[in-house]
Amino acid sequence: MNVISKINDLRVTIDHLKNTGKTIGFVPTMGFLHEGHLTLAKEARTNNEVVVMSIFVNPLQFGPNEDFDRYPRDVERDTELARMSGVDILFIPDVADMYPGKQSITMNVEERVDVLCGRKREGHFDGVVTVLTKLFHLVQPTRAYFGQKDAQQVAVVEGLVSDYFFPIEIIRVPTVREEDGLAKSSRNVYLSQDERQVAPFLYESLQEARKRIEEGERSPSFLTGMISKIIQENTSGTIDYVEVYSYPELRELKRLEGDIIIAVAVQFQQARLIDNIIISVQPEEDYYV
Ligand code: AMP
């Protein structure tokens, strides 16, 4: 595995790969790797000749009161894990190289951001698309891999790639979970023992919603109410949001139909956890607006 920190070194390496016609699978991450990230890498490994992973804690996507400074980092361990997962090129740039000065052009995401994390984390997705635009230009991937755990991110990135004609296929990979259902996340290390015990109720509440939908429930407000109740009654966390939308458009629905996302965000003492499910809902036979 080739570990690269300098932009120019990456350019030279990528130029060579492009000249030889290799397909490139790209996995952008913020590091502190876990099985979720490694599953994306394995997926990339299966379908591309070369796998590039980046590790970059992007300051632009953190708000002033968010956890940029204390975001967990362990480059040595990450390097070993990336190597074991079949990554060919691990790109770990410095903030000063990615953002050498004030940006002369800034990016604003206009669609799919007035809901879910976008509403709560102002400017977050502007930072995400800014760094991804830089990384996409540098890595020139054939395919880029993103986790469904950050489903709004996938929806926004699909918009980026489509609006700006990036010749990149975006692959959404299902959320990887702990045995008890908790979505794997770098931030899980910040849960206290008690919080860790009750954190699986996020996914459990989503599973309960799935069950109700299978039984015929089609009311978004009934489901969000039920999910909120389960989380409130069983965890010490504070609900940030429980929302239901069409996916990937992220539009409000009066009744559930088509591809939908049910998403939750819960603030614990030191960690904010998110989770979601995406379901294809059959239209109601006897329901007319
Ligand atoms: P991050 O390092 O948190 O920015 O995540 C990097 C990529 O890994 C993103 O595309 C995430 O959606 C994805 N990812 C993070 N956690 C998981 C998970 N539990 N399952 C699948 N993908 C994940």
Side-chain angles (χ1 to χ4, degrees), residues 42 69 119 181 185 231-232 261 266 269:
K42 282 179 191 145
D69 286 330
R119 177 159 48 203
S185 165
I231 293 173
Q232 273 158 358
I261 180 167
V266 178
Q269 291 263 310

Side-chain angles (χ1 to χ4, degrees), residues 28-31 34 36-37 40 71 146-147 149-150 153 174-176 184:
T29 83
M30 297 202 299
H34 52 68
H37 302 110
L40 302 190
Y71 194 84
F146 292 87
K149 174 165 164 284
D150 302 283
Q153 173 166 274
T175 303
V176 178
K184 298 220 178 201

Side-chain angles (χ1 to χ4, degrees), residues 36-250:
H37 302 110
L38 304 183
T39 302
L40 302 190
K42 282 179 191 145
E43 198 71 24
R45 179 73 283 161
T46 313
N47 295 305
N48 302 275
E49 289 161 285
V50 177
V51 177
V52 180
M53 176 183 275
S54 63
I55 294 180
F56 182 63
V57 185
N58 174 32
L60 234 62
Q61 69 189 65
F62 287 79
N65 299 318
E66 293 184 5
D67 55 351
F68 175 72
D69 286 330
R70 56 177 200 92
Y71 194 84
R73 293 162 170 92
D74 190 341
V75 172
E76 221 168 283
R77 181 172 157 275
D78 285 352
T79 306
E80 218 29 64
L81 288 172
R83 193 191 312 277
M84 279 158 43
S85 312
V87 171
D88 299 300
I89 298 170
L90 183 61
F91 180 50
I92 315 181
D94 285 339
V95 172
D97 288 335
M98 290 296 278
Y99 299 110
K102 189 172 178 299
Q103 297 270 125
S104 57
I105 294 169
T106 57
M107 302 182 76
N108 292 306
V109 184
E110 299 286 348
E111 294 285 334
R112 305 178 175 181
V113 284
D114 54 349
V115 296
L116 304 172
C117 290
R119 177 159 48 203
K120 304 286 170 176
R121 304 181 67 188
E122 208 193 321
H124 168 70
F125 286 109
D126 297 343
V128 169
V129 296
T130 303
V131 78
L132 284 177
T133 297
K134 289 174 185 248
L135 290 168
F136 284 169
H137 281 308
L138 292 171
V139 176
Q140 300 174 56
T142 320
R143 300 180 187 86
Y145 294 78
F146 292 87
Q148 183 188 313
K149 174 165 164 284
D150 302 283
Q152 188 173 21
Q153 173 166 274
V154 183
V156 168
V157 173
E158 279 172 353
L160 171 72
V161 164
S162 150
D163 282 5
Y164 286 89
F165 307 119
F166 282 98
I168 302 171
E169 191 184 347
I170 300 301
I171 311 285
R172 168 160 57 91
V173 178
T175 303
V176 178
R177 301 179 178 282
E178 303 286 355
E179 265 181 25
D180 59 11
L182 175 64
K184 298 220 178 201
S185 165
S186 306
R187 290 184 169 103
N188 288 350
V189 292
Y190 290 127
L191 295 171
S192 71
Q193 251 182 3
D194 289 348
E195 289 173 340
R196 173 63 190 84
Q197 283 223 311
V198 295
F201 274 105
L202 271 68
Y203 186 51
E204 217 163 298
S205 69
L206 293 171
Q207 289 297 81
E208 186 59 30
R210 184 199 298 275
K211 195 167 131 236
R212 293 300 176 98
I213 292 169
E214 280 164 7
E215 288 166 2
E217 183 59 59
R218 292 293 181 272
S219 157
S221 59
F222 173 83
L223 293 170
T224 53
M226 186 199 74
I227 291 168
S228 302
K229 192 158 176 281
I230 293 175
I231 293 173
Q232 273 158 358
E233 283 179 355
N234 292 287
T235 80
S236 53
T238 309
I239 292 176
D240 199 353
Y241 62 71
V242 177
E243 295 173 19
V244 177
Y245 298 107
S246 64
Y247 192 86
E249 304 81 8
L250 303 183

